[in-house]
């Protein structure tokens, strides 16, 4: 576009509120084309600049034919329907056969089981990350999930460790080896770049521990495996699109297995409700009851939680078809989704999550809370803008 396009006026008549053909701007008809093309990204948060493209028109044409044209062709010719967050904008979402709906699986009260809120809104999407952010603080949800603001401060080391381990496991699972991750060589040190040495050692140990629990070990070749595939369902009562992205989804002898992997910095989870400790599993229970996942053999379908520590690992199983499990999952999701559906103000609720909050740079209440907390005996200092936040002292295992 930059190399070969021509300057045009917009193809829309705002006064008449109707589309119009694009028209070439006259002064540019005879202007010579560019000899060099540069695209520079500017960071509005920290003022940094990064050159992402620097090439000649000939190089741009070559790369267009090599990379862009095949994708553009598939997009123009494609007729496949892929449900996801884009269903929020689609007027036919409620009638689309590609979007699994709770109405088709006997869930008369909707997938979540909540009544339509008093204040009716346009269709929205809801994920486990949305629920987690809103449970921490409504302002955090609004700033990070709706406005897409992110702090320039580095993430908590435990979070970075979890991302690094996930990236390695995803790459290993994509290869689809007969024995899964068993017998694989240790990842290259570059997989842990940017992590402190002790965190990198822990991450490497977690990947090693995973090999004994890898669900792809001796999985039949005809079974289907999906790595980080999006699962979507529609709640017609709330006009709500629910989305999730399991770490691994695969079939086994007619059933579906949903695997979530979490890294923990302390001894793996013991006691209490696993759905309470990991609310994304509660949402997984609801999503397993719709679409193709619900059509699998229920005797062999399950949700698995893999807890990886540097010294030990565990695998827990959840049966989404047990009435008590469904009731517990719905109750957990309702506790947060109910207030979220009625929310209109998104006030800040300062507390323990403030220290690692991605929206702290834009939240005066959160900074004031941390400043007051730092003045108390034994209080931790307030992380300045751009500084790495300290790990939050949670009483339960810190999930990565």
């Amino acid at each position: 576009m930059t190399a070969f396009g021509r300057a045009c006026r917009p193809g829309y008549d705002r006064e008449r509120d109707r589309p119009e053909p694009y028209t070439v701007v006259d002064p540019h008809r005879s202007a010579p084309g560019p000899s060099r093309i540069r695209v520079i990204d500017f960071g509005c948060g920290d003022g940094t600049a990064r050159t992402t493209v620097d090439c000649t028109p000939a190089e741009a044409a070559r790369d267009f034919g090599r990379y862009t044209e095949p994708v553009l062709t598939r997009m123009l010719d494609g007729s496949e329907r892929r449900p996801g967050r884009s269903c929020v904008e689609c007027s036919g979402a409620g009638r689309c056969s590609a979007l699994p709906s709770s109405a088709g699986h006997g869930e008369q009260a909707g997938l979540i089981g909540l009544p339509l809120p008093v204040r009716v809104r346009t269709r929205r999407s809801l994920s486990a990350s949305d629920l987690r952010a809103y449970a921490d603080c409504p302002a955090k949800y609004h700033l990070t999930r709706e406005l897409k603001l992110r702090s320039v401060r580095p993430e908590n080391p435990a979070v970075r460790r979890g991302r690094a381990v996930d990236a390695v496991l995803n790459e290993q699972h994509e290869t689809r080896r007969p024995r899964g991750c068993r017998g694989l060589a240790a990842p290259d040190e570059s997989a842990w770049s940017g992590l402190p040495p002790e965190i990198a050692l822990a991450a490497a140990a977690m990947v090693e521990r995973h090999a004994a629990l890898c669900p792809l070990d001796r999985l039949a070749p005809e079974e289907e495996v999906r790595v980080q595939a999006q699962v979507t369902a529609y709640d017609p009562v709330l006009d709500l699109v629910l989305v999730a992205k399991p770490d691994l989804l695969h079939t086994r002898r007619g059933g579906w297995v949903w695997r979530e992997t979490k890294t923990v910095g302390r001894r793996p989870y013991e006691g209490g409700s696993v759905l309470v400790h990991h609310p994304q599993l509660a949402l997984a229970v609801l999503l397993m009851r719709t679409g193709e996942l619900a059509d699998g053999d229920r005797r062999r379908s399950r949700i698995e939680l893999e807890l990886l520590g540097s010294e030990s690992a565990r695998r827990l199983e959840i049966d989404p078809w047990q009435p008590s499990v469904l009731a517990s999952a719905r109750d957990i999701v309702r506790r947060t989704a109910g207030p979220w559906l009625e929310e209109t103000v998104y006030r800040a609720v300062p507390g323990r999550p403030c220290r690692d909050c991605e929206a702290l740079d834009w939240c005066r209440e959160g900074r004031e809370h941390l400043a007051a907390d730092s003045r108390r005996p034994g209080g931790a200092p307030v992380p300045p803008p751009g500084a790495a936040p300290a790990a939050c002292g949670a009483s339960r295992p810190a999930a990565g």
Side-chain angles (χ1 to χ4, degrees), residues 31-110:
S35 60
R36 195 84 188 163
I37 302 158
R38 287 196 301 167
V39 178
I40 303 175
D41 290 340
F42 290 92
C44 297
D46 56 7
T48 59
R50 180 181 62 184
T51 300
T52 56
V53 176
D54 188 350
C55 65
T56 65
E59 292 170 334
R62 179 200 64 197
D63 290 345
F64 177 85
R66 182 181 300 173
Y67 303 113
T68 308
E69 189 173 17
V71 177
L72 183 61
T73 301
R74 290 198 303 269
M75 183 185 72
L76 294 176
D77 294 342
S79 59
E80 181 183 2
R81 291 176 292 178
R82 295 182 180 177
R85 286 189 184 270
S86 59
C87 295
V88 172
E89 309 293 336
C90 180
S91 59
R95 304 181 300 275
C96 179
S97 59
L99 177 61
S101 172
S102 58
H105 289 83
E107 305 288 356
Q108 300 300 324

Side-chain angles (χ1 to χ4, degrees), residues 107-131:
E107 305 288 356
Q108 300 300 324
L111 198 59
I112 299 178
L114 286 170
L116 188 68
V118 175
R119 184 174 183 268
V120 179
R121 304 189 185 191
T122 57
R123 185 181 303 123
R124 292 192 288 174
S125 64
L126 182 65
S127 69
S129 297
D130 295 329
L131 290 173

Side-chain angles (χ1 to χ4, degrees), residues 304-316:
E304 298 179 342
L305 173 64
E306 179 181 344
L307 293 167
L308 292 177
S310 58
E311 298 182 358
S312 60
R314 290 187 65 190
R315 181 179 65 87
L316 306 176

Side-chain angles (χ1 to χ4, degrees), residues 245-247 258-262 280-281 304-306:
K245 189 174 286 188
D247 290 323
W258 178 313
R259 171 69 71 96
E260 291 287 352
T261 302
K262 296 297 175 185
Q280 65 267 41
L281 298 177
E304 298 179 342
L305 173 64
E306 179 181 344

Side-chain angles (χ1 to χ4, degrees), residues 107 111-113 273 275 282 285-286 289 319-335:
E107 305 288 356
L111 198 59
I112 299 178
S273 170
L275 299 183
V285 169
L286 304 185
R289 302 174 67 89
D319 183 357
W321 304 105
Q322 288 288 339
S324 59
V325 173
L326 174 61
S328 178
R330 274 185 166 168
D331 181 61
I332 292 168
V333 174
R334 285 171 185 163
R335 280 184 231 164

